[in-house]
Amino acid sequence: MNAVELGLALLLVVAMGLCVLAFRSPRAVADDLLRHRAAQREFYRQRQTELQADFDMGLIDEQQQRELNAELDRQLLEENAELSPPPAQRRSVLLWASVAALPLLSLLVYDQLGYRLDLKLLAVQRQLFSGERPSEEGLQRFEALVEDILQRRPETTELLVTMAAIRRQQGDYRGAVDYYQRLSQLYPQDADALAQLAQARYLAAERRLDGETRELLQRALAINPDQATALGVLGINAFAVGDYLLALKHWQRLLGGLDARSGEAMVIASGVNEAKRRAIEEGKLRGLMVNVALDAALGDKPEGVLFVVARATDGNPMPVAALRQPVSKEGEIFPLRLFLTDGDVIRQGKRLEDFAALSLSAHISRSGAAVRRTGDWVSAPLRLSTAENEISLLIDSEFAVGGEAK
């Protein structure tokens, strides 16, 4: 017997004990009955005394006294009849019937709701993940058990999420839609559930965004404007139809909420850069091309985040604009070509053309922080006019303690 079954057995024993206590011994019941009847007799005597006093004072006549006494006698007889104890044999039958029915009813409900299947599911999970790779047969047994449980308990959230994830991994997006649909019905105000349903619908429709899917994405963003899945899908769709400015709007918002060193951030940052390039080529966006190269003398590039920072030449230390691009040892090939646009401007209400000249620098932060730290790779700052369209930066030194490059 495992811990769950043992716990259930103990709870059942406690419940049966409470059942037995509910049917107290005949002696205890008889004692209660005697006390109640004594209280009734005392009330009867007091009421008779009050009626006699009323008659003596002339408040009631003899006829009224006889009628009220008769009514008092009738009430006493009725109450005594209601309090008659059931036969001991009947009580005994009720007691044992209740005690026997409780475990049977508990087992019936336990099986009907599929909780016994939960234990089987747990055993199958342990078998599946005991080896390096789950077997196909094991996965099929797992899915069959999950489906059986969901038939009995259709609102089991964790199993709906599990099956949706399995269908996605199998590439069965239509199958995943069904589970996400059920989740969204259970949690209509959950932005994640709505966005995941929309994404599954989008992928099942071969990356076509219909009206219902778009409405789901808009609902998700109305609840959570930074919902990552919704922003990603809308950005991908906008890019696919050639609306690069809209793709930038969604992807840049998404990028701001991601860990700068995550794999997802790398993908989104590359998409942002490509959308900028295409929008600039179409003349829909003005931007500065920034070529960033590494000095081979520094060795193999570290993992971290590349920052390109633009500052005004008026002495204000606050950056005007900034780019960030995750880098990995096996990933980006330098020199990188990045694009600095008005969308990267940090100062509210400003554009790049509002500054006559800018000073640009680049550094690779090993920690992912924008502030330079010892060991980061840095470039020398270069000044340029905002009328220029291109600049090249060379990262050729390592930042040292005290702010000196070495």
Side-chain angles (χ1 to χ4, degrees), residues 321-342:
L323 292 173
R324 70 173 188 174
Q325 173 75 40
V327 294
S328 62
K329 291 181 179 180
E330 297 80 19
E332 296 69 26
I333 300 175
F334 283 81
L336 283 178
R337 177 172 292 179
L338 305 176
F339 298 90
L340 192 70
T341 69
D342 290 337

Side-chain angles (χ1 to χ4, degrees), residues 11 71 99 154 228 246 284 317 355:
L11 288 174
E71 177 65 21
V99 172
L246 183 59
K284 297 179 179 178
F355 302 88

